[in-house]
Amino acid sequence: ITVRVPKALDAMDPGILYKYRSLAGIDRDRVMETFSNSSVYFSSPDQFNDPFDCKVELLLDGTEEEWKQYIGEKLKIYRPSLSPADRLAEMNRIIRSGNYKKLDPTISTRAAKEAGVYCVSAVNDDILMWSHYANAHRGICIGFRAKVQDYFFRRSQEVKYFETYPSTRIFDSDEKRMETALLAKSAHWSYEKEYRIIEPHGSGVHQFPEELLVEVILGCQISDDDKKTVIEWAHKCLHRPRVFIARKKSREFGLSIEEAL
């Protein structure tokens, strides 16, 4: 897939993207690996918590010439043994049948479901995200540097939020259809200010340059034991990240992020 650098990151100073994490169950092991082995886990879209995520409308409208070109290219891929003459005959047969207009709409997102995605956010103090993704404020939020020279996180792309499903044409490239699907969410989630790194070859663990882990924020309800453990993880890093703690504001529904002592 062709990955574009999001312009929004240009204005970010110091250019940090955040990952909210729980410290319970398997999440704890993955967080520990992030600190000890500079690795993060790219999820499959099938694991997302929003069943509307990655939904797109597949548009089948097109001229006969567009369909001929499209079907001809697919025949080259899926029936390479056909001679040019046989391929032309098969293409004309498919066009005459009209069955090409009854394609399964899920083909537009099939490639997207096979990709791996790492989701991050431009904000570190959203109380809903702390509740949803950091075990009710008992977890942490990890900050990764995403400056121009930091390719791993710099390739994050901004999620677009919609009131209705975005559309993609059947004639769009596989890469464009994948990108449209993986970067689309309901407007209900716009407060998350989400960015995504797309790995078209699938889910799994990927390593990043260890110096890009620059911050860790402790949740306002983190236990004393977990606080001690996370600080130990941070101090063992060769490029030691700064440690902060989230505290509830006294007179409003919000958090202040303060340097941990």
Side-chain angles (χ1 to χ4, degrees):
I1 184 169
T2 301
V3 179
R4 296 193 301 270
V5 175
K7 292 182 178 179
L9 287 183
D10 294 338
M12 292 178 62
D13 185 17
I16 298 175
L17 291 173
Y18 295 93
K19 183 71 171 180
Y20 295 79
R21 295 307 311 259
S22 167
L23 295 174
I26 190 173
D27 291 332
R28 187 182 190 88
D29 295 333
R30 288 179 175 165
V31 171
M32 183 173 64
E33 285 294 306
T34 296
F35 284 93
S36 64
N37 198 36
S38 302
S39 65
V40 291
Y41 181 77
F42 281 60
S43 301
S44 164
D46 288 337
Q47 298 173 298
F48 291 169
N49 62 347
D50 176 13
F52 297 95
D53 210 328
C54 300
K55 298 296 184 184
V56 295
E57 179 185 11
L58 180 64
L59 303 179
L60 301 179
D61 57 311
T63 67
E64 185 171 306
E65 286 305 312
E66 285 180 309
W67 276 109
K68 284 182 177 180
Q69 181 179 352
Y70 175 82
I71 294 170
E73 290 173 352
K74 295 303 179 185
L75 287 174
K76 286 181 182 179
I77 296 172
Y78 296 111
R79 299 184 66 181
S81 62
L82 289 177
S83 68
D86 288 341
R87 187 164 58 245
L88 178 61
E90 179 66 7
M91 179 188 67
N92 288 327
R93 185 195 67 77
I94 293 172
I95 290 292
R96 287 194 302 271
S97 73
N99 290 334
Y100 63 91
K101 294 182 179 180
K102 303 175 183 178
L103 290 173
D104 181 356
T106 61
I107 65 171
S108 66
T109 55
R110 189 170 299 151
K113 290 182 177 180
E114 294 173 355
V117 182
Y118 192 68
C119 305
V120 286
S121 171
V123 295
N124 61 13
D125 59 354
D126 188 272
I127 60 175
L128 284 179
M129 295 180 74
W130 275 102
S131 296
H132 293 158
Y133 306 121
N135 192 21
H137 297 253
R138 292 188 287 270
I140 62 175
C141 184
I142 304 171
F144 299 103
R145 199 176 70 206
K147 292 185 178 180
V148 173
Q149 68 273 24
D150 302 321
Y151 174 73
F152 191 94
F153 292 102
R154 180 66 184 181
R155 59 198 171 117
S156 302
Q157 299 183 80
E158 189 174 9
V159 168
K160 301 174 181 65
Y161 300 97
F162 299 91
E163 296 291 344
T164 58
Y165 294 152
S167 61
T168 180
R169 298 184 79 213
I170 187 66
F171 309 109
D172 291 339
S173 66
D174 290 343
E175 290 80 9
K176 184 174 181 180
R177 290 204 305 271
M178 180 192 294
E179 186 175 286
T180 300
L182 289 176
L183 298 177
K185 290 187 75 169
S186 164
H188 291 84
W189 299 94
S190 61
Y191 68 90
E192 291 190 344
K193 296 181 173 60
E194 185 177 349
Y195 288 77
R196 289 177 172 177
I197 305 176
I198 300 171
E199 174 48 66
H201 302 298
S203 60
V205 176
H206 294 267
Q207 285 191 293
F208 61 88
E210 60 184 69
E211 67 271 16
L212 301 188
L213 198 169
V214 293
E215 290 185 10
V216 56
I217 304 168
L218 309 171
C220 67
Q221 297 201 105
I222 193 170
S223 70
D224 289 339
D225 286 344
D226 282 346
K227 178 179 179 180
K228 179 181 178 181
T229 297
V230 173
I231 291 175
E232 288 177 352
W233 290 344
H235 286 179
K236 288 179 181 178
C237 293
L238 181 62
H239 299 271
R240 185 177 296 186
R242 297 176 68 187
V243 181
F244 298 86
I245 189 164
R247 301 191 188 279
K248 290 185 285 185
K249 293 183 177 180
S250 59
R251 303 188 67 178
E252 61 182 277
F253 296 108
L255 296 166
S256 58
I257 308 300
E258 303 172 5
E259 193 101 32
L261 299 179

